[in-house]
Amino acid sequence: MSDGINHPRRHFLGALALSLAAAQFSPGVARAQAARAEKPHLPQVAPGANRTFPSIRQVDAGVLNVGYAELGAPDAPVVILLHGWPYDIHTYVDVAPLLANAGYRVIVPYLRGYGTTLFLSSDTPRNGQQAVIATDIIALMDALGIDKAVIGGCDWGARTANIIAALWPERCKALVSVSGYLIGSREVNRKPLPPQAELAWWYQFYFATKRGHEGYRENRREFARLIWKLASPKWDFDDATFDRSAAALDNPDHVDISIHNYRWRLSLAEGEAKYDALEERLARFPTVTVPTITLEGDANGAPHPEPAAYAKRFSGRYEHRLITGGIGHNLPQEAPLAFAEAIIDVDRFQG
């Protein structure tokens, strides 16, 4: 009885396998492999060189229909970039093309309450607590079939990236975080700070009032422009740059989510019970084990911790970089080349 194998074909495939194995050790193939392993060269790019993204896609993910920009080949290694408040995806308008050209698939989503990201149901709470934003991104990864990604973030986006890296390290290959470790604890937030430090959080106390809620609703663009100037005092952004991002704040849920976020931090608003277990873990300040680069601008005018205060929160391979030249809080938009280089470098970290 035949064994079902074509013997001439088997010998041919065996010879082919041997020749391919030999080629693996030939100087030409070795040079080609080394070339692929070399760090991609990033061209110099002036902040603001790109005005916007080519298109915005939409996908149902969890409780949201998420709007996101996507650049790069669909089968390339994935980088997810997360913006903060009161900014939007244009934080990465110059970073994303650099990374796409370097061989990455780059996903830049609008967080809940921004741009074209909308709730699927009017009954879903407009919740801004820290755990829920992270679960939104996990749901987005699931919806897009992304198992694992390098994740970078700034402001709320940095906190979200920290949380994913800490609670779901199997989904985060490596991390780039502006201003370091930003996972919060409501218990810690109950403790008063020195007056100068409290002053830096003035808007948090404003948002705790009904007047602040209505004031932000009526003046969100003026408010955002003020925050931009205070947080990045040396960033000379123009009206067109601001207006492109400010349009994302017109989202119908933006105000409620922003207010809830800051009230929740001070225990002035409750979160959803289904996230209690995650928040309990976060309140213990879990260590981030994935390879990490933290970044800080030398002119960051927003409240932020000192690097020495959080360095031990990262137990994997870790590096901190100070970006000089008058760089403020919105570091990826102000120094896109430095941020893109950090993404590429951390992706090359080993363990």
Side-chain angles (χ1 to χ4, degrees):
M1 185 176 180
S2 172
D3 60 8
I5 297 176
N6 183 312
H7 291 278
R9 182 173 182 270
R10 180 176 62 185
H11 293 312
F12 169 75
L13 291 175
L16 178 61
L18 288 173
S19 65
L20 288 174
Q24 291 290 332
F25 298 97
S26 71
V29 171
R31 282 195 298 271
Q33 290 175 337
R36 285 195 297 272
E38 289 177 1
K39 178 180 175 180
H41 171 72
L42 296 181
Q44 292 293 327
V45 58
N50 296 283
R51 294 184 178 181
T52 192
F53 292 95
S55 63
I56 300 298
R57 303 181 182 186
Q58 300 290 143
V59 65
D60 287 351
V63 300
L64 301 171
N65 178 258
V66 178
Y68 66 99
E70 179 172 346
L71 284 75
D75 58 347
V78 180
V79 175
I80 298 175
L81 303 176
L82 305 175
H83 69 82
W85 172 91
Y87 305 95
D88 83 322
I89 62 173
H90 290 88
T91 287
Y92 302 102
V93 73
D94 293 315
V95 171
L98 288 172
L99 293 176
N101 289 334
Y104 291 94
R105 177 188 179 193
V106 186
I107 307 294
V108 192
Y110 284 111
L111 301 186
R112 59 167 56 197
Y114 292 82
T116 61
T117 292
L118 298 171
F119 286 89
L120 295 173
S121 171
S122 60
D123 296 329
T124 304
R126 273 38 179 177
N127 180 354
Q129 71 184 99
Q130 61 179 354
V132 74
I133 301 173
T135 59
D136 287 345
I137 303 306
I138 294 294
L140 175 64
M141 294 175 71
D142 291 343
L144 295 179
I146 297 169
D147 179 60
K148 199 167 191 176
V150 177
I151 304 178
C154 185
D155 194 84
W156 286 23
R159 179 176 295 106
T160 303
N162 286 183
I163 293 170
I164 295 171
L167 299 189
W168 296 281
E170 71 278 5
R171 308 300 297 271
C172 182
K173 182 180 181 184
L175 170 68
V176 173
S177 177
V178 176
S179 296
Y181 188 95
L182 298 177
I183 295 173
S185 161
R186 297 210 295 174
E187 184 62 34
V188 171
N189 288 344
R190 291 189 182 101
K191 299 176 181 178
L193 300 172
Q196 191 66 34
E198 296 283 21
L199 177 63
W201 289 105
W202 64 271
Y203 55 88
Q204 183 170 243
F205 305 119
Y206 179 64
F207 288 165
T209 68
K210 181 178 180 181
R211 177 188 177 96
H213 193 166
E214 293 307 311
Y216 189 51
R217 187 179 303 281
E218 293 177 12
N219 304 292
R220 69 187 81 175
R221 292 198 178 210
E222 294 88 343
F223 204 100
R225 184 183 288 272
L226 175 60
I227 294 295
W228 280 35
K229 289 181 177 179
L230 293 174
S232 300
K234 297 186 178 182
W235 182 27
D236 188 23
F237 59 87
D238 58 22
D239 289 345
T241 297
F242 174 77
D243 289 342
R244 279 191 288 271
S245 288
L249 311 184
D250 293 334
N251 181 290
D253 302 304
H254 174 76
V255 172
D256 289 342
I257 288 170
S258 299
I259 296 297
H260 183 267
N261 176 282
Y262 287 104
R263 290 184 179 181
W264 177 87
R265 297 188 199 190
L266 295 178
S267 300
L268 300 176
E270 292 304 315
E272 293 178 76
K274 63 182 177 180
Y275 301 110
D276 285 351
L278 293 178
E279 295 295 354
E280 288 173 6
R281 293 174 63 188
L282 295 173
R284 294 193 291 270
F285 301 113
T287 298
V288 173
T289 60
V290 306
T292 300
I293 293 177
T294 57
L295 303 174
E296 190 58 82
D298 64 340
N300 185 359
H304 62 279
E306 290 298 319
Y310 55 70
K312 291 183 179 179
R313 299 293 183 188
F314 302 100
S315 64
R317 183 172 173 184
Y318 172 69
E319 182 180 321
H320 178 75
R321 298 177 181 180
L322 177 67
I323 310 303
T324 60
I327 304 304
H329 189 60
N330 192 18
L331 188 151
Q333 197 163 357
E334 299 175 57
L337 183 59
F339 191 91
E341 286 179 337
I343 290 287
I344 291 172
D345 289 345
V346 81
D347 187 31
R348 296 163 64 84
F349 280 4
Q350 299 296 318

